[in-house]
Amino acid sequence: MGDKIQVDLDRAQVKKAVLALQAFLKTQSAASKKLFTDESQKISILFTLWKIPKCAQTIRIPLPHGQRVDSEEVCLFTRDEPQMTGEQTQRFYKKLLQERGVQNVTEVIPYKILKTEYKQFEAKRRLLGNFDMFLSDERIRFRLATHIGKHFYERKREPLSVNLLSKNLARDVQKLVQGTSLKVNNKGSCCMARIGHTGMTADELTENIEVAVQTVMEKVRMKGPVMKIIHLKSETSVALPIYASGLDHLRKPEEAEAESRSENAKQTSVEDREKKAKKRKVEEDDDEEIPQLVPIETPKPKAKLKKRQPAERKHANILLKLCKTKAAKGKGKKPKVK
């Protein structure tokens, strides 16, 4: 992927967009007369690509500043431990998370409890609404798809896998919870990633945006010009542009075509010179005396004797016998004595 066109963000322009978005959200919350207002809205960046990717891809983005508030609920799905009931497995993993210093997980659900208590459709919908994020033990991630339901994937809340046997479990969970992910699908040219909330400062949001854009450009599996426009937006605001690609890459094919035309013209002129030189050489060779060639007579084939037909052979044999009998009679006669 070395031929990608890199994105150069203007930090001052990004910070201006962040400040403008924060000011808009403050005026919106002040003008709202609702009893309950959401003080922390999600802030996301919207990527618009030049072309639709050939294959879908999920890009995990570690952020320098956490993009989730402490009040968000995180659920962890674990495997079933042998010779333990569902409640015993739940207590076992809660104790393990506490010993490893993991503080982001609020609920642990073993695989056995997920299959029995969350089998009904309404239970799955209720589970999806009770938590903001889901993690899963990487040992059971391939078995979860048939039990959690399609709504987890439609709302892009499918569980992220984590290695519960890792020595740095707290750090790994922190990266997943406070990081973000970008889902690049092959059905459209737009994709969105969450990078913060309204409770963060402008500098923190700016740093998260820069890291997210740099990570996406490094990991996305596309060649040539990738990023067309990048917008910054919240859940209720308009999209503010923070980057727009130029049209230089569109002029490059025209320049390459002009260069190929000039090269073809040079090549044709060289070929014409070579043809003229060959023609001159042939004309000079024609002026010299060329010795005449005498044709060689080939020997004529001998005429083949015709084979006699069976009737002719039979007639010839009869004549031969008659001649022989006449000769024999002539030899037997004695001359008369006068």
Side-chain angles (χ1 to χ4, degrees), residues 26-230:
K26 284 181 182 179
T27 56
Q28 190 182 34
S29 62
S32 178
K33 295 182 181 180
K34 294 180 180 180
L35 182 60
F36 298 103
T37 58
D38 188 9
E39 296 181 357
S40 61
Q41 286 192 35
K42 300 176 184 178
I43 296 178
S44 307
I45 48 178
L46 176 64
F47 297 97
T48 303
L49 310 179
W50 274 107
K51 54 188 177 181
I52 298 175
K54 293 183 180 179
C55 57
Q57 180 185 2
T58 300
I59 301 174
R60 291 190 180 182
I61 306 171
L63 298 175
H65 305 283
Q67 52 93 14
R68 296 181 184 274
V69 295
D70 296 335
S71 60
E72 291 191 13
E73 302 286 333
V74 180
C75 178
L76 172 65
F77 298 116
T78 65
R79 76 162 192 172
D80 298 324
E81 289 297 320
Q83 299 178 355
M84 285 188 185
T85 62
E87 290 76 13
Q88 289 174 341
T89 303
Q90 196 173 23
R91 288 195 296 269
F92 171 77
Y93 278 105
K94 282 184 178 180
K95 185 178 179 181
L96 176 66
L97 295 176
Q98 188 177 2
E99 290 175 354
R100 298 289 181 87
V102 179
Q103 301 176 354
N104 307 94
V105 178
T106 54
E107 184 63 30
V108 175
I109 299 178
Y111 185 66
K112 188 182 294 184
I113 295 178
L114 177 66
K115 289 191 297 182
T116 55
E117 296 185 8
Y118 297 94
K119 188 176 181 180
Q120 300 298 325
F121 177 78
E122 290 299 328
K124 293 177 183 177
R125 292 289 297 271
R126 191 167 56 252
L127 175 66
L128 181 62
N130 290 340
F131 298 96
D132 300 288
M133 185 180 182
F134 295 90
L135 303 176
S136 72
D137 188 348
E138 65 176 8
R139 294 171 291 185
I140 62 166
R141 60 178 178 175
F142 295 111
R143 291 186 284 170
L144 285 177
T146 56
H147 296 286
I148 59 178
K150 64 179 182 180
H151 297 285
F152 280 76
Y153 296 92
E154 288 177 353
R155 296 180 61 179
K156 299 180 180 179
R157 302 266 294 282
E158 64 269 20
L160 301 176
S161 62
V162 61
N163 182 14
L164 296 180
L165 301 178
S166 173
K167 295 180 180 179
N168 300 315
L169 183 59
R171 185 194 64 185
D172 296 343
V173 173
Q174 180 73 13
K175 280 184 178 180
L176 289 176
V177 173
Q178 295 300 341
T180 187
S181 61
L182 177 70
K183 296 186 181 300
V184 182
N185 58 43
N186 54 356
K187 298 179 181 178
S189 59
C190 294
C191 47
M192 185 181 292
R194 179 181 173 183
I195 51 91
H197 55 86
T198 53
M200 299 172 65
T201 63
D203 291 330
E204 290 175 345
L205 288 171
T206 303
E207 290 180 9
N208 281 1
I209 291 169
E210 291 177 340
V211 172
V213 172
Q214 183 181 1
T215 306
V216 170
M217 291 304 298
E218 289 176 356
K219 294 183 178 181
V220 67
R221 291 193 291 265
M222 292 176 66
K223 294 182 179 180
V226 176
M227 205 61 63
K228 186 177 182 180
I229 305 174
I230 302 176

